[in-house]
Amino acid sequence: MSAQRSAMPAQPQVVLDVPVPPASSSVWDRITSWASDNKAVVYTAGAIVLVVTGAGVAYYVAQPQQPTADVERAPVAGGEKKKSKKERRKAKKHAEDAKKGEMASADGKLISVPELGVSRLADSAVVGSTDPKAPSVQAEDELPEVSETIVAQLSDQERKQFAARLKDAGNKAYGSKNYNEAIELYRKAILCRPDPIFYSNRAACYNALGDWEKVVEDTTAALELNNEYVKALNRRANAYEHLDKNSEALLDCTASCIIDGFSNDQSAQSVERLLKKVAESKGKTMLAQRQTKLPSSTFVKNYLQSFRSRPPPEGLDQGAELDEDSGLGQLRAGLVALEKRTGEAYEAAAESFEKAIELNQLGEHEAFAYSMRATFKYLKGENDGALADLSKSIELQPSLTQSYIKRASMHLEIGNRDAAAKDFESAIKYNASDPDIYYHRAQLHFILGELNEAARDYQESISLDKDFIFSHIQLGVTQYKMGSVASSMATFRRCIKNFDKVPDVYNYYGELLLDQQKYEEAIQKFETAVDMEKLSKPAVLNVLPLINKALALFQWKQDFAGAEKLCEDALSSTPFPVPLPSPFFGRNHRAYSSVVDPECDIAVATMAQLLLQQGKVREALTYFESAAKLSRTEGEIVNALSYAEATRTQLEVQEKYPRLAARINGMGGGFVGPPAR
């Protein structure tokens, strides 16, 4: 089923990293009042407040407020302690000396005599310089002028103080939505002191202006100074997503989540959204480039046997004399190939049904031919062509209920539930006694979580045909899902009694035992299913019991080696040794039969998960990518690629952020997306 592309998320509110505000209001009230009375000019430098009057320079120490909640602040340089009486007397004397050296400019403003300069106390911030080109202390509503030349002459302490003031001013400009002014102020702050917060805040301005390339540039600079700076990672991820660089955005979001321990729900949701975007994009490319082909023989076999075995239509049986090069001859050839149940035979059947339609002259069997061709188009993932063929089949023969059933299943797969229900109703109208209708409608209810309705339809299917084993099995599974464990177990015990030679009974019964953590009993059932499969000498072994046994060994004993070996057996393309009775060598003679399915997507995906659990991330990635290639529909491809991209991103995070590797390993050797919380 094709998943819809996620819409671009709304631009998140950007929060600046702000420092501690300046001095407390009471101090500022006293200073400004005193300065007004004495016609003074008030300057600030870091945490020091200076008042220049005719009497000289007085120092007041600002008392910083506590930072407010949810506000990250940069360190503020120049914090001062209260001065002693001796220091205050010394400052007063310097002020009086400064008065004598002070002179007025032509416009009446106070200017400082360069020769005198301004004395600095040992514990005070920088307040002046003997260099006439260096910036002097500024008025409250002014900011220091900075350039590369000026900054080069400043001490480290002075640079920190100037940078902090410029950053504060930038924050105020940002709050007033004067983004360009804020950008310039942050530029000057960075010139004084490159700081990741300054870069990140300037990126916030570019974010507000929609200049995503600049956001990436500044957040990258911030991350070069602090590569675990979560705010910068999130801002860059947002910019990358707007630039449609979803893989890069996914990497940043994943790193952010790992640093935060997946404690941020918004970031975790972003990872999921981006995984879907990346997987959908790659999935569409994969579908467009690859040639259509049938899925694994295990998948084809399981789909075909979900319909009851029926004799071929009259005139298509083996005894009928048909020209092999005719439409009817090719239609019969396709039916004969189906009986072999191998991958090659299924491919041959698909070709025969295609040729039958092309040759035409099918007479009364034309509707049946379209239905069979549609079956294999559906299995190849050619949904549009399959739907068209099924509609043609129904048009030619409205009473052909299997065409309604198949079309209903396809409607459900693409999300058209109402159309699926309508097709089942039409099928019942033409043949209410066809047990396949109720079995497949029960499947629809089961998938939708309508378990009571599913159970009723499975029971109706059984009442019409008690020999179809899968109705019994699915009824037992449905009862278990409904919480009726005792009823479910009783259903499976009856199945074993009545269908004791059918491997599927033991396999599905084992799955329910495994879910109850009855590991030893479950493994016994899986082994019985495997032995029965081998003894039946199939052309291709149903590998599901092998995979289930692998999962049981892993969950029960953490037996990775044993579990991997079983998955490898399921995927092996070499002949598999099978104990078979022999009139010459006795019962334990080990004959050889090709009983494996090298393209079983379930086995591939299970192997990937086992490898990931052991921290074998690169090997797991290879298997996840293989699972995507083996998937049939766009929805299945996207699902497999989501795992592959999550695994690939994990590798990239480990390589780019080595310090995070330990945290990833602490999640159990590997993770795929946000862990459950």
Side-chain angles (χ1 to χ4, degrees):
M1 186 190 309
S2 177
Q4 294 180 349
R5 175 175 288 274
S6 301
M8 178 66 65
Q11 183 171 310
Q13 181 179 2
V14 180
V15 180
L16 290 174
D17 305 305
V18 299
V20 176
S24 65
S25 58
S26 59
V27 173
W28 275 107
D29 289 343
R30 287 189 282 111
I31 291 173
T32 52
S33 177
W34 183 87
S36 176
D37 292 343
N38 292 273
K39 299 179 181 178
V41 181
V42 180
Y43 298 114
T44 60
I48 303 300
V49 179
L50 303 98
V51 181
V52 182
T53 71
V57 181
Y59 295 82
Y60 292 83
V61 181
Q63 298 177 1
Q65 297 175 353
Q66 293 298 317
T68 57
D70 300 325
V71 172
E72 182 180 345
R73 66 189 184 94
V76 179
E80 301 294 334
K81 298 180 180 179
K82 185 176 180 179
K83 299 186 185 303
S84 66
K85 289 183 179 180
K86 181 178 179 181
E87 289 171 329
R88 289 199 296 274
R89 285 197 300 270
K90 187 176 180 181
K92 182 178 180 181
K93 184 177 185 303
H94 278 288
E96 291 173 350
D97 291 341
K99 179 182 178 182
K100 298 175 183 178
E102 195 176 69
M103 56 184 292
S105 65
D107 59 1
K109 292 184 179 179
L110 295 176
I111 60 173
S112 174
V113 179
E115 294 82 357
L116 177 63
V118 181
S119 300
R120 71 176 69 182
L121 300 179
D123 59 348
S124 70
V126 175
V127 296
S129 170
T130 57
D131 186 347
K133 295 182 181 180
S136 178
V137 289
Q138 305 293 315
E140 179 185 5
D141 58 349
E142 295 178 354
L143 290 169
E145 288 295 329
V146 296
S147 67
E148 291 185 6
T149 303
I150 292 173
V151 170
Q153 298 173 19
L154 298 176
S155 67
D156 289 343
Q157 189 74 359
E158 289 170 328
R159 293 180 186 183
K160 290 179 182 179
Q161 292 166 0
F162 279 33
R165 289 192 59 207
L166 290 161
K167 175 182 182 292
D168 290 344
N171 291 354
K172 290 178 182 178
Y174 178 88
S176 300
K177 298 186 178 181
N178 296 324
Y179 302 123
N180 288 319
E181 179 184 347
I183 287 170
E184 177 61 17
L185 289 165
Y186 290 134
R187 183 192 69 79
K188 291 180 178 180
I190 291 168
L191 189 60
C192 292
R193 177 173 176 253
D195 186 290
I197 292 177
F198 302 169
Y199 281 110
S200 183
N201 280 5
R202 189 168 69 176
C205 297
Y206 288 125
N207 186 91
L209 296 171
D211 191 342
W212 308 116
E213 294 286 359
K214 286 290 188 181
V215 175
V216 170
E217 183 180 324
D218 270 357
T219 49
T220 300
L223 290 165
E224 286 174 355
L225 296 169
N226 177 7
N227 70 350
E228 293 189 17
Y229 188 5
V230 170
K231 278 191 178 181
L233 282 167
N234 289 336
R235 283 176 183 159
R236 188 169 70 175
N238 179 60
Y240 275 141
E241 189 169 3
H242 278 85
L243 293 168
D244 203 28
K245 296 181 177 181
N246 293 318
S247 294
E248 291 87 341
L250 176 60
L251 177 61
D252 280 351
C253 270
T254 303
S256 170
C257 281
I258 296 171
I259 294 168
D260 274 349
F262 287 94
S263 61
N264 187 316
D265 287 336
Q266 186 175 354
S267 295
Q269 290 167 7
S270 294
V271 168
E272 294 176 8
R273 183 184 67 253
L274 288 163
L275 270 175
K276 185 178 179 183
K277 279 190 172 186
V278 173
E280 284 179 347
S281 176
K282 292 192 174 184
K284 289 183 183 298
T285 301
M286 182 179 289
L287 275 174
Q289 293 178 347
R290 79 173 184 178
Q291 294 181 338
T292 58
K293 68 171 187 174
L294 289 173
S296 71
S297 55
T298 298
F299 186 99
V300 176
K301 175 186 173 183
N302 288 339
Y303 176 78
L304 293 176
Q305 70 182 12
S306 69
F307 294 88
R308 286 162 174 77
S309 179
R310 302 169 188 260
E314 187 177 353
L316 295 177
D317 54 87
Q318 289 279 32
E321 295 184 3
L322 297 172
D323 182 357
E324 291 298 324
D325 294 327
S326 67
L328 290 174
Q330 285 298 309
L331 185 55
R332 183 176 66 180
L335 295 176
V336 172
L338 291 182
E339 297 300 318
K340 299 179 182 178
R341 301 184 180 183
T342 66
E344 291 181 358
Y346 290 139
E347 291 286 355
E351 291 179 10
S352 292
F353 295 138
E354 186 73 43
K355 288 180 181 178
I357 298 292
E358 292 175 359
L359 293 170
N360 208 340
Q361 297 181 349
L362 296 166
E364 62 181 334
H365 300 302
E366 186 177 4
F368 177 72
Y370 273 104
S371 181
M372 294 309 297
R373 186 173 76 167
T375 298
F376 282 84
K377 282 188 175 182
Y378 166 72
L379 289 168
K380 291 179 179 181
E382 300 174 8
N383 289 350
D384 292 341
L387 280 172
D389 275 359
L390 290 170
S391 296
K392 179 67 173 178
S393 174
I394 291 169
E395 178 188 334
L396 291 168
Q397 187 179 339
S399 62
L400 191 58
T401 56
Q402 285 208 357
S403 292
Y404 287 107
I405 295 170
K406 293 173 184 177
R407 192 171 70 174
S409 298
M410 289 195 61
H411 281 314
L412 180 61
E413 186 171 291
I414 61 178
N416 195 341
R417 176 180 175 178
D418 292 340
K422 186 177 179 180
D423 273 344
F424 282 122
E425 291 172 4
S426 298
I428 291 173
K429 185 177 86 170
Y430 284 105
N431 187 0
S433 62
D434 185 345
D436 276 345
I437 299 172
Y438 303 98
Y439 174 77
H440 285 274
R441 189 171 70 174
Q443 295 286 73
L444 178 148
H445 289 309
F446 184 89
I447 292 170
L448 295 173
E450 299 165 351
L451 300 180
N452 288 321
E453 292 86 345
R456 281 197 296 269
D457 272 347
Y458 286 131
Q459 288 167 338
E460 180 65 20
S461 178
I462 291 169
S463 70
L464 292 169
D465 180 8
K466 63 182 178 62
D467 295 328
F468 187 59
I469 180 59
F470 293 104
S471 293
H472 296 274
I473 290 174
Q474 288 299 128
L475 175 62
V477 172
T478 302
Q479 290 169 332
Y480 186 83
K481 292 287 186 181
M482 294 169 67
S484 302
V485 178
S487 297
S488 174
M489 296 297 102
T491 297
F492 271 99
R493 285 193 291 271
R494 286 195 299 272
C495 285
I496 289 176
K497 179 180 178 181
N498 297 324
F499 304 94
D500 61 324
K501 303 299 182 185
V502 179
D504 296 278
V505 174
Y506 298 92
N507 179 56
Y508 285 101
Y509 190 19
E511 286 188 5
L512 299 190
L513 292 169
L514 178 59
D515 190 68
Q516 299 172 64
Q517 298 183 359
K518 297 179 180 180
Y519 299 116
E520 193 166 5
E521 292 180 63
I523 288 175
Q524 289 174 355
K525 295 295 183 290
F526 296 141
E527 288 175 343
T528 300
V530 171
D531 289 342
M532 285 185 174
E533 280 281 343
K534 294 174 181 177
L535 289 171
S536 66
K537 296 187 283 186
V540 177
L541 176 71
N542 181 4
V543 298
L544 297 182
L546 282 173
I547 298 165
N548 283 330
K549 182 181 176 182
L551 292 173
L553 285 175
F554 164 65
Q555 293 177 26
W556 184 23
K557 298 181 178 180
Q558 296 291 297
D559 184 358
F560 288 107
E564 280 188 44
K565 179 63 169 60
L566 288 167
C567 286
E568 288 170 357
D569 288 345
L571 294 168
S572 174
S573 59
T574 58
F576 194 90
V578 185
L580 294 172
S582 166
F584 302 103
F585 299 101
R587 180 171 179 80
N588 293 323
H589 168 65
R590 299 184 70 81
Y592 285 82
S593 175
S594 296
V595 291
V596 291
D597 185 359
E599 293 191 343
C600 179
D601 54 339
I602 299 175
V604 172
T606 302
M607 177 69 95
Q609 291 286 3
L610 289 171
L611 291 167
L612 195 65
Q613 288 292 326
Q614 298 174 75
K616 299 177 180 179
V617 185
R618 292 190 184 279
E619 294 92 330
L621 175 59
T622 300
Y623 276 93
F624 280 131
E625 290 175 335
S626 296
K629 293 175 183 177
L630 294 171
S631 297
R632 185 178 58 88
T633 66
E634 183 176 354
E636 292 168 358
I637 291 171
V638 168
N639 185 55
L641 285 175
S642 294
Y643 282 99
E645 290 307 310
T647 306
R648 189 193 322 281
T649 303
Q650 176 180 334
L651 278 172
E652 292 176 358
V653 169
Q654 287 177 308
E655 292 171 355
K656 194 169 184 179
Y657 305 94
R659 290 174 57 185
L660 298 183
R663 301 187 202 182
I664 295 173
N665 292 333
M667 297 176 187
F671 75 95
V672 177
R677 284 180 284 113

